[in-house]
Amino acid sequence: MVEVGAVAPDFTLHDQNRQRVALSSFRGSKHVLLVFYPFAFSGICTGELCRVRDELATYEAGDVQVLGVSVDTPFSLKAWSAEQGYGFPLLSDFWPHGEVARAYGVFDEKSGMAVRGTFLVDVAGVVRYAEVNGPGEPRDQEAWKKAVAALS
């Protein structure tokens, strides 16, 4: 897992609209909350990302760009985003399969999916918060908000 204090591995992935999104494009302008999750349309993932959606203003107020990341295709991410009304990019780590999740140490080789990894990257590209939860284990999003507040 990428540790707190390390430079976040850069990447470029396609979002649900097949637009390229690079982590480095936010350097110097916004913090980034990377939310890795196993699969679109699954119960715990939907609950977690709906809460992020409902509390998005909290992150935006802290100059934080939320980026969801999974191994799903952009096409399934687009359908899921439209269904749930997510107002932040969902990035496809589909091919090479799980390459970004591997770089962050949150790829489960046995199941072929990302586990629930959360990383807060500051405007300089340094990881300021890192948490990994196993399959079926929901995250404590209050900890994310505390980490965001500590950046201000």
Side-chain angles (χ1 to χ4, degrees), residues 26-102:
F26 299 100
R27 247 192 216 162
S29 62
K30 284 191 174 194
H31 309 293
V32 177
L33 182 67
L34 294 174
V35 182
F36 289 88
Y37 57 93
F39 295 112
F41 296 102
S42 60
I44 293 173
C45 299
T46 299
E48 287 182 335
L49 291 187
C50 283
R51 182 169 174 197
V52 171
R53 175 201 64 205
D54 295 346
E55 299 174 354
L56 192 57
T58 301
Y59 300 106
E60 291 172 341
D63 286 327
V64 176
Q65 174 64 59
V66 175
L67 300 175
V69 184
S70 75
V71 297
D72 295 294
T73 68
F75 308 106
S76 62
L77 294 176
K78 185 168 185 76
W80 192 42
S81 180
E83 176 185 279
Q84 298 299 329
Y86 298 135
F88 50 90
L90 300 180
L91 306 182
S92 173
D93 193 14
F94 181 73
W95 200 258
H97 191 73
E99 181 177 66
V100 174
R102 280 185 182 89

Coordinates of all heavy atoms in Angstrom, one line a residue, residues 26-102:
F26 N -4.2 17.7 -11.4 CA -4.7 18.5 -10.2 C -3.6 19.1 -9.4 O -3.9 19.9 -8.5 CB -5.6 17.6 -9.4 CG -6.8 17.0 -10.1 CD1 -6.7 15.7 -10.6 CD2 -7.9 17.8 -10.3 CE1 -7.8 15.2 -11.3 CE2 -9.0 17.3 -11.0 CZ -8.9 16.0 -11.5
R27 N -2.3 18.8 -9.7 CA -1.2 19.3 -8.9 C -1.2 20.8 -8.9 O -1.3 21.4 -10.0 CB 0.1 18.7 -9.5 CG 0.7 17.8 -8.4 CD 2.0 17.4 -8.6 NE 2.0 16.0 -8.2 CZ 2.9 15.1 -8.5 NH1 3.9 15.4 -9.2 NH2 2.8 13.9 -8.0
G28 N -1.0 21.3 -7.8 CA -0.9 22.8 -7.7 C -2.3 23.5 -7.6 O -2.3 24.7 -7.3
S29 N -3.4 22.7 -7.8 CA -4.7 23.4 -7.8 C -5.7 22.8 -6.8 O -6.5 23.5 -6.2 CB -5.3 23.4 -9.2 OG -5.5 22.1 -9.7
K30 N -5.7 21.4 -6.7 CA -6.7 20.8 -5.9 C -6.0 19.6 -5.2 O -5.2 18.9 -5.8 CB -7.9 20.3 -6.7 CG -8.8 21.3 -7.1 CD -10.1 20.7 -7.7 CE -11.1 21.8 -8.0 NZ -12.4 21.3 -8.2
H31 N -6.6 19.3 -4.0 CA -6.3 18.0 -3.4 C -7.1 17.0 -4.1 O -8.1 17.3 -4.7 CB -6.7 18.1 -1.9 CG -6.1 19.2 -1.1 ND1 -4.7 19.4 -0.9 CD2 -6.7 20.3 -0.6 CE1 -4.6 20.5 -0.2 NE2 -5.7 21.1 0.0
V32 N -6.8 15.7 -4.0 CA -7.6 14.6 -4.6 C -7.8 13.5 -3.6 O -6.9 13.1 -2.9 CB -6.8 14.1 -5.8 CG1 -7.6 12.9 -6.4 CG2 -6.5 15.1 -6.9
L33 N -9.1 13.1 -3.5 CA -9.5 12.0 -2.7 C -9.7 10.8 -3.7 O -10.7 10.9 -4.5 CB -10.8 12.3 -1.9 CG -11.2 11.1 -1.0 CD1 -10.2 10.9 0.1 CD2 -12.6 11.4 -0.4
L34 N -8.8 9.8 -3.7 CA -9.0 8.7 -4.5 C -9.7 7.6 -3.7 O -9.3 7.2 -2.6 CB -7.6 8.1 -4.8 CG -6.7 8.9 -5.7 CD1 -5.3 8.3 -5.9 CD2 -7.3 9.1 -7.1
V35 N -10.8 7.2 -4.3 CA -11.7 6.2 -3.6 C -11.7 4.9 -4.5 O -12.5 4.9 -5.5 CB -13.1 6.7 -3.4 CG1 -14.0 5.7 -2.7 CG2 -13.1 8.0 -2.6
F36 N -10.9 4.0 -4.2 CA -10.9 2.7 -4.9 C -12.0 1.8 -4.4 O -12.3 1.8 -3.2 CB -9.6 1.9 -4.8 CG -8.4 2.5 -5.5 CD1 -7.7 3.5 -4.9 CD2 -8.1 2.1 -6.8 CE1 -6.6 4.1 -5.5 CE2 -7.0 2.7 -7.4 CZ -6.2 3.6 -6.8
Y37 N -12.8 1.2 -5.3 CA -13.9 0.3 -4.8 C -13.9 -0.9 -5.7 O -13.5 -0.9 -6.9 CB -15.2 1.1 -4.8 CG -15.6 1.7 -6.1 CD1 -16.4 1.0 -7.0 CD2 -15.1 2.9 -6.5 CE1 -16.7 1.5 -8.3 CE2 -15.4 3.5 -7.8 CZ -16.2 2.7 -8.6 OH -16.5 3.3 -9.9
P38 N -14.5 -2.0 -5.3 CA -14.5 -3.3 -6.0 C -15.3 -3.2 -7.4 O -14.7 -3.4 -8.4 CB -15.1 -4.3 -5.1 CG -14.8 -3.8 -3.7 CD -14.9 -2.3 -3.9
F39 N -16.6 -2.9 -7.3 CA -17.4 -3.0 -8.5 C -18.6 -2.0 -8.5 O -19.2 -1.9 -7.5 CB -17.9 -4.4 -8.8 CG -16.9 -5.4 -9.1 CD1 -16.6 -6.4 -8.2 CD2 -16.1 -5.4 -10.2 CE1 -15.7 -7.4 -8.4 CE2 -15.1 -6.3 -10.5 CZ -14.9 -7.3 -9.6
A40 N -18.9 -1.5 -9.6 CA -20.1 -0.7 -9.8 C -21.3 -1.6 -9.6 O -21.2 -2.8 -9.8 CB -20.2 -0.1 -11.2
F41 N -22.4 -1.0 -9.1 CA -23.7 -1.6 -8.9 C -23.7 -2.6 -7.7 O -24.7 -3.2 -7.5 CB -24.2 -2.4 -10.2 CG -24.5 -1.4 -11.3 CD1 -23.6 -1.3 -12.4 CD2 -25.6 -0.7 -11.4 CE1 -23.8 -0.5 -13.4 CE2 -25.9 0.1 -12.4 CZ -25.0 0.2 -13.5
S42 N -22.6 -2.7 -7.0 CA -22.6 -3.6 -5.8 C -23.1 -2.8 -4.6 O -23.0 -1.6 -4.5 CB -21.2 -4.2 -5.6 OG -20.3 -3.2 -5.3
G43 N -23.6 -3.5 -3.6 CA -24.3 -2.9 -2.5 C -23.5 -1.9 -1.7 O -23.9 -0.8 -1.5
I44 N -22.4 -2.4 -1.1 CA -21.6 -1.6 -0.3 C -21.0 -0.4 -1.1 O -21.0 0.7 -0.6 CB -20.5 -2.4 0.4 CG1 -21.1 -3.4 1.4 CG2 -19.5 -1.5 1.2 CD1 -20.1 -4.3 2.1
C45 N -20.5 -0.7 -2.3 CA -19.9 0.4 -3.1 C -21.0 1.5 -3.4 O -20.7 2.6 -3.4 CB -19.4 -0.2 -4.4 SG -18.1 -1.4 -4.1
T46 N -22.2 1.0 -3.7 CA -23.2 2.0 -4.0 C -23.5 2.9 -2.8 O -23.6 4.1 -2.9 CB -24.5 1.3 -4.5 OG1 -24.2 0.6 -5.7 CG2 -25.6 2.3 -4.8
G47 N -23.6 2.2 -1.7 CA -23.9 3.0 -0.4 C -22.8 4.0 -0.1 O -23.0 5.2 0.2
E48 N -21.5 3.6 -0.3 CA -20.4 4.4 0.0 C -20.4 5.6 -1.0 O -20.2 6.8 -0.5 CB -19.1 3.7 -0.1 CG -18.8 2.8 1.1 CD -17.5 2.0 1.0 OE1 -16.9 1.9 -0.1 OE2 -17.0 1.7 2.1
L49 N -20.5 5.4 -2.2 CA -20.4 6.5 -3.2 C -21.6 7.4 -3.2 O -21.5 8.5 -3.5 CB -20.1 5.9 -4.6 CG -18.7 5.3 -4.8 CD1 -18.5 5.0 -6.2 CD2 -17.6 6.2 -4.3
C50 N -22.8 6.8 -2.8 CA -23.9 7.7 -2.6 C -23.7 8.6 -1.5 O -24.1 9.8 -1.5 CB -25.2 6.9 -2.5 SG -25.8 6.2 -4.0
R51 N -23.1 8.2 -0.4 CA -22.8 9.1 0.7 C -21.8 10.2 0.2 O -22.0 11.3 0.6 CB -22.2 8.3 1.9 CG -22.0 9.2 3.0 CD -21.7 8.5 4.3 NE -21.3 9.4 5.3 CZ -20.7 9.1 6.5 NH1 -20.4 7.8 6.7 NH2 -20.4 10.0 7.3
V52 N -20.8 9.8 -0.5 CA -19.9 10.8 -1.1 C -20.6 11.8 -1.9 O -20.4 13.0 -1.8 CB -18.7 10.1 -1.9 CG1 -17.9 11.2 -2.7 CG2 -17.8 9.3 -1.0
R53 N -21.5 11.3 -2.8 CA -22.4 12.2 -3.6 C -23.2 13.1 -2.7 O -23.2 14.4 -3.0 CB -23.3 11.3 -4.4 CG -24.4 12.1 -5.2 CD -25.6 11.3 -5.6 NE -26.3 10.9 -4.4 CZ -27.1 9.8 -4.3 NH1 -27.2 9.0 -5.4 NH2 -27.7 9.5 -3.2
D54 N -23.8 12.6 -1.7 CA -24.6 13.5 -0.8 C -23.8 14.5 0.0 O -24.4 15.5 0.4 CB -25.4 12.6 0.1 CG -26.4 11.7 -0.7 OD1 -26.7 12.0 -1.9 OD2 -26.9 10.7 -0.1
E55 N -22.5 14.2 0.2 CA -21.7 15.1 1.0 C -20.6 15.7 0.2 O -19.6 16.2 0.7 CB -21.1 14.3 2.2 CG -22.2 13.7 3.1 CD -21.6 12.8 4.2 OE1 -20.4 12.5 4.2 OE2 -22.4 12.4 5.0
L56 N -20.8 15.7 -1.1 CA -19.8 16.3 -2.1 C -19.4 17.7 -1.7 O -18.2 18.1 -1.9 CB -20.2 16.1 -3.5 CG -19.2 16.3 -4.6 CD1 -18.0 15.4 -4.5 CD2 -19.8 16.2 -6.0
A57 N -20.3 18.5 -1.3 CA -20.1 19.9 -1.0 C -19.0 20.0 0.1 O -18.2 21.0 0.1 CB -21.3 20.6 -0.5
T58 N -18.9 19.1 1.0 CA -17.9 19.1 2.1 C -16.5 19.0 1.5 O -15.6 19.7 1.9 CB -18.1 17.9 3.0 OG1 -19.4 18.0 3.6 CG2 -17.0 17.8 4.1
Y59 N -16.4 18.1 0.5 CA -15.1 17.9 -0.2 C -14.7 19.1 -1.1 O -13.6 19.6 -1.1 CB -15.0 16.6 -1.0 CG -15.3 15.5 -0.1 CD1 -16.5 14.8 -0.1 CD2 -14.3 15.0 0.8 CE1 -16.7 13.7 0.8 CE2 -14.5 14.0 1.7 CZ -15.7 13.3 1.7 OH -15.9 12.3 2.5
E60 N -15.7 19.6 -1.8 CA -15.5 20.7 -2.7 C -15.1 22.0 -1.9 O -14.3 22.8 -2.4 CB -16.8 21.0 -3.5 CG -17.0 19.9 -4.6 CD -18.3 20.0 -5.3 OE1 -19.2 20.7 -4.8 OE2 -18.4 19.4 -6.4
A61 N -15.7 22.2 -0.7 CA -15.4 23.3 0.1 C -13.9 23.3 0.6 O -13.3 24.3 0.8 CB -16.3 23.4 1.3
G62 N -13.3 22.1 0.6 CA -11.9 21.9 1.0 C -11.0 21.8 -0.2 O -9.9 21.4 -0.1
D63 N -11.5 22.3 -1.4 CA -10.7 22.2 -2.6 C -10.2 20.8 -2.9 O -9.1 20.5 -3.3 CB -9.6 23.2 -2.6 CG -10.0 24.6 -2.8 OD1 -11.0 24.8 -3.5 OD2 -9.4 25.5 -2.2
V64 N -11.1 19.8 -2.7 CA -10.8 18.4 -2.9 C -11.6 17.9 -4.1 O -12.8 18.0 -4.2 CB -11.1 17.5 -1.7 CG1 -10.9 16.1 -2.0 CG2 -10.3 18.0 -0.5
Q65 N -10.9 17.3 -5.1 CA -11.5 16.6 -6.2 C -11.7 15.1 -5.8 O -10.7 14.5 -5.5 CB -10.7 16.7 -7.5 CG -11.2 15.9 -8.7 CD -12.5 16.4 -9.1 OE1 -12.7 17.6 -9.5 NE2 -13.5 15.5 -9.1
V66 N -12.9 14.6 -5.8 CA -13.1 13.2 -5.6 C -13.0 12.4 -6.9 O -13.6 12.8 -7.9 CB -14.5 13.0 -4.9 CG1 -14.8 11.5 -4.8 CG2 -14.6 13.7 -3.6
L67 N -12.3 11.3 -6.9 CA -12.1 10.4 -8.0 C -12.4 9.0 -7.6 O -11.7 8.5 -6.7 CB -10.7 10.5 -8.6 CG -10.3 11.8 -9.2 CD1 -8.8 11.7 -9.6 CD2 -11.1 12.3 -10.3
G68 N -13.5 8.4 -8.1 CA -13.7 7.0 -7.8 C -12.9 6.1 -8.8 O -12.8 6.5 -10.0
V69 N -12.4 5.0 -8.4 CA -11.6 4.2 -9.3 C -12.0 2.7 -9.1 O -12.0 2.2 -7.9 CB -10.1 4.3 -9.0 CG1 -9.3 3.5 -10.0 CG2 -9.6 5.7 -9.0
S70 N -12.3 2.0 -10.2 CA -12.6 0.6 -10.1 C -12.1 -0.1 -11.4 O -11.7 0.6 -12.4 CB -14.1 0.3 -10.0 OG -14.8 0.6 -11.2
V71 N -12.2 -1.4 -11.5 CA -11.7 -2.1 -12.7 C -12.9 -2.3 -13.7 O -12.7 -3.0 -14.7 CB -11.1 -3.5 -12.3 CG1 -9.9 -3.3 -11.5 CG2 -12.2 -4.4 -11.6
D72 N -14.0 -1.6 -13.4 CA -15.1 -1.7 -14.4 C -14.8 -0.9 -15.7 O -13.9 -0.1 -15.7 CB -16.4 -1.0 -13.7 CG -16.9 -1.7 -12.5 OD1 -17.3 -2.9 -12.7 OD2 -16.8 -1.2 -11.4
T73 N -15.5 -1.2 -16.7 CA -15.4 -0.5 -18.0 C -16.0 0.9 -17.9 O -16.9 1.1 -17.1 CB -16.0 -1.3 -19.2 OG1 -17.5 -1.2 -19.0 CG2 -15.5 -2.7 -19.3
P74 N -15.6 1.8 -18.7 CA -16.2 3.1 -18.7 C -17.7 3.0 -19.0 O -18.5 3.8 -18.5 CB -15.5 3.9 -19.9 CG -14.2 3.2 -20.0 CD -14.4 1.8 -19.7
F75 N -18.1 2.0 -19.8 CA -19.6 1.9 -20.2 C -20.4 1.6 -19.0 O -21.5 2.1 -18.8 CB -19.7 0.9 -21.3 CG -18.8 1.1 -22.4 CD1 -17.7 0.3 -22.6 CD2 -19.0 2.2 -23.3 CE1 -16.8 0.6 -23.7 CE2 -18.1 2.4 -24.4 CZ -17.0 1.6 -24.5
S76 N -20.0 0.6 -18.1 CA -20.7 0.3 -16.9 C -20.7 1.5 -15.9 O -21.7 1.8 -15.3 CB -20.3 -1.0 -16.3 OG -18.9 -0.9 -15.9
L77 N -19.5 2.2 -15.9 CA -19.4 3.3 -15.0 C -20.4 4.4 -15.4 O -21.0 5.1 -14.5 CB -18.0 3.8 -14.9 CG -17.0 2.9 -14.3 CD1 -15.6 3.4 -14.4 CD2 -17.3 2.5 -12.9
K78 N -20.5 4.6 -16.7 CA -21.5 5.7 -17.2 C -22.9 5.3 -16.8 O -23.6 6.2 -16.3 CB -21.4 5.8 -18.7 CG -22.2 7.0 -19.2 CD -21.9 7.3 -20.7 CE -22.6 8.5 -21.2 NZ -22.1 9.7 -20.7
A79 N -23.3 4.1 -16.9 CA -24.7 3.7 -16.6 C -24.9 3.8 -15.1 O -25.9 4.3 -14.6 CB -24.9 2.2 -17.0
W80 N -23.9 3.4 -14.3 CA -24.0 3.5 -12.8 C -24.0 5.0 -12.4 O -24.8 5.4 -11.5 CB -22.9 2.8 -12.2 CG -23.0 2.5 -10.7 CD1 -24.1 2.1 -10.0 CD2 -21.9 2.6 -9.8 NE1 -23.8 2.0 -8.7 CE2 -22.5 2.2 -8.5 CE3 -20.6 2.9 -9.8 CZ2 -21.7 2.2 -7.3 CZ3 -19.8 2.9 -8.7 CH2 -20.4 2.6 -7.4
S81 N -23.2 5.8 -13.0 CA -23.1 7.2 -12.6 C -24.5 7.9 -12.9 O -25.0 8.7 -12.1 CB -22.0 7.9 -13.3 OG -21.9 9.3 -13.0
A82 N -25.0 7.6 -14.1 CA -26.3 8.2 -14.5 C -27.4 7.7 -13.6 O -28.3 8.5 -13.2 CB -26.6 7.8 -16.0
E83 N -27.4 6.4 -13.2 CA -28.4 5.9 -12.3 C -28.4 6.5 -11.0 O -29.4 6.8 -10.4 CB -28.3 4.4 -12.2 CG -29.2 3.7 -11.2 CD -28.9 2.3 -11.0 OE1 -29.3 1.5 -11.9 OE2 -28.3 1.9 -10.0
Q84 N -27.2 6.8 -10.4 CA -27.0 7.3 -9.1 C -26.8 8.8 -9.0 O -26.8 9.3 -7.9 CB -25.9 6.6 -8.4 CG -26.1 5.1 -8.2 CD -27.3 4.7 -7.4 OE1 -27.7 5.4 -6.5 NE2 -27.9 3.6 -7.7
G85 N -26.6 9.4 -10.1 CA -26.4 10.9 -10.1 C -25.1 11.3 -9.4 O -25.0 12.4 -8.8
Y86 N -24.0 10.6 -9.7 CA -22.7 10.9 -9.1 C -22.2 12.2 -9.8 O -22.2 12.2 -11.0 CB -21.7 9.8 -9.2 CG -22.1 8.6 -8.5 CD1 -22.0 7.3 -9.0 CD2 -22.6 8.6 -7.2 CE1 -22.3 6.2 -8.3 CE2 -22.9 7.5 -6.5 CZ -22.8 6.3 -7.1 OH -23.2 5.1 -6.4
G87 N -21.8 13.2 -9.0 CA -21.3 14.4 -9.6 C -19.8 14.5 -9.6 O -19.2 15.6 -9.5
F88 N -19.1 13.4 -9.6 CA -17.6 13.3 -9.7 C -17.2 12.2 -10.6 O -18.0 11.3 -10.9 CB -17.1 13.1 -8.3 CG -17.7 11.9 -7.5 CD1 -17.2 10.6 -7.6 CD2 -18.8 12.1 -6.8 CE1 -17.8 9.6 -7.0 CE2 -19.5 11.0 -6.1 CZ -18.9 9.8 -6.2
P89 N -16.0 12.3 -11.1 CA -15.6 11.2 -12.1 C -15.4 9.9 -11.5 O -14.9 9.7 -10.4 CB -14.2 11.8 -12.6 CG -14.2 13.2 -12.3 CD -15.0 13.3 -11.0
L90 N -15.8 8.9 -12.3 CA -15.6 7.5 -11.9 C -14.6 7.0 -13.0 O -14.8 7.0 -14.2 CB -16.9 6.6 -12.0 CG -18.0 7.0 -11.1 CD1 -19.2 6.1 -11.3 CD2 -17.5 7.0 -9.6
L91 N -13.4 6.5 -12.5 CA -12.3 6.2 -13.5 C -12.2 4.7 -13.7 O -12.4 3.9 -12.7 CB -11.0 6.7 -12.9 CG -11.0 8.2 -12.6 CD1 -9.6 8.6 -12.1 CD2 -11.4 9.0 -13.8
S92 N -12.0 4.3 -14.9 CA -11.9 2.9 -15.3 C -10.5 2.4 -15.3 O -9.7 2.8 -16.1 CB -12.5 2.7 -16.7 OG -12.3 1.4 -17.1
D93 N -10.2 1.5 -14.4 CA -8.8 0.8 -14.3 C -8.9 -0.5 -15.0 O -8.3 -1.5 -14.5 CB -8.4 0.7 -12.8 CG -7.0 0.4 -12.6 OD1 -6.2 0.5 -13.5 OD2 -6.7 0.0 -11.5
F94 N -9.7 -0.6 -16.0 CA -10.0 -1.9 -16.7 C -8.8 -2.5 -17.4 O -8.6 -3.7 -17.3 CB -11.2 -1.7 -17.6 CG -11.6 -2.9 -18.3 CD1 -12.3 -3.9 -17.6 CD2 -11.4 -3.1 -19.7 CE1 -12.7 -5.1 -18.3 CE2 -11.7 -4.3 -20.3 CZ -12.4 -5.3 -19.6
W95 N -8.1 -1.6 -18.2 CA -7.0 -2.1 -19.0 C -5.9 -1.2 -19.0 O -6.1 0.0 -19.4 CB -7.5 -2.5 -20.4 CG -6.5 -3.5 -21.0 CD1 -5.6 -3.2 -21.9 CD2 -6.4 -4.9 -20.7 NE1 -4.9 -4.3 -22.2 CE2 -5.4 -5.4 -21.5 CE3 -7.1 -5.7 -19.8 CZ2 -4.9 -6.7 -21.4 CZ3 -6.7 -7.0 -19.8 CH2 -5.6 -7.5 -20.5
P96 N -4.6 -1.6 -18.8 CA -4.3 -2.9 -18.3 C -5.0 -3.1 -17.0 O -5.0 -2.3 -16.1 CB -2.8 -2.9 -18.1 CG -2.3 -1.7 -18.9 CD -3.5 -0.7 -19.0
H97 N -5.6 -4.3 -16.8 CA -6.5 -4.6 -15.7 C -5.8 -4.4 -14.4 O -4.9 -5.0 -14.0 CB -6.9 -6.1 -15.8 CG -8.0 -6.4 -14.9 ND1 -9.3 -6.0 -15.1 CD2 -8.1 -7.1 -13.8 CE1 -10.1 -6.4 -14.2 NE2 -9.4 -7.1 -13.3
G98 N -6.4 -3.4 -13.7 CA -6.0 -3.1 -12.3 C -4.6 -2.5 -12.1 O -4.1 -2.5 -11.0
E99 N -4.1 -1.9 -13.2 CA -2.7 -1.4 -13.1 C -2.6 -0.3 -12.1 O -1.6 -0.3 -11.3 CB -2.3 -0.9 -14.5 CG -0.9 -0.3 -14.6 CD -0.5 0.1 -15.9 OE1 -1.2 1.1 -16.5 OE2 0.4 -0.5 -16.5
V100 N -3.5 0.6 -12.0 CA -3.4 1.7 -11.0 C -3.7 1.2 -9.6 O -3.0 1.5 -8.6 CB -4.4 2.8 -11.4 CG1 -4.4 3.9 -10.3 CG2 -4.0 3.4 -12.7
A101 N -4.6 0.3 -9.4 CA -4.9 -0.4 -8.1 C -3.6 -1.1 -7.7 O -3.3 -1.0 -6.5 CB -6.1 -1.3 -8.2
R102 N -2.9 -1.7 -8.6 CA -1.7 -2.4 -8.2 C -0.6 -1.4 -7.7 O 0.0 -1.6 -6.7 CB -1.1 -3.2 -9.4 CG -1.7 -4.5 -9.6 CD -1.0 -5.3 -10.8 NE -1.7 -6.5 -11.0 CZ -2.7 -6.7 -11.9 NH1 -3.1 -5.7 -12.6 NH2 -3.2 -7.9 -12.0

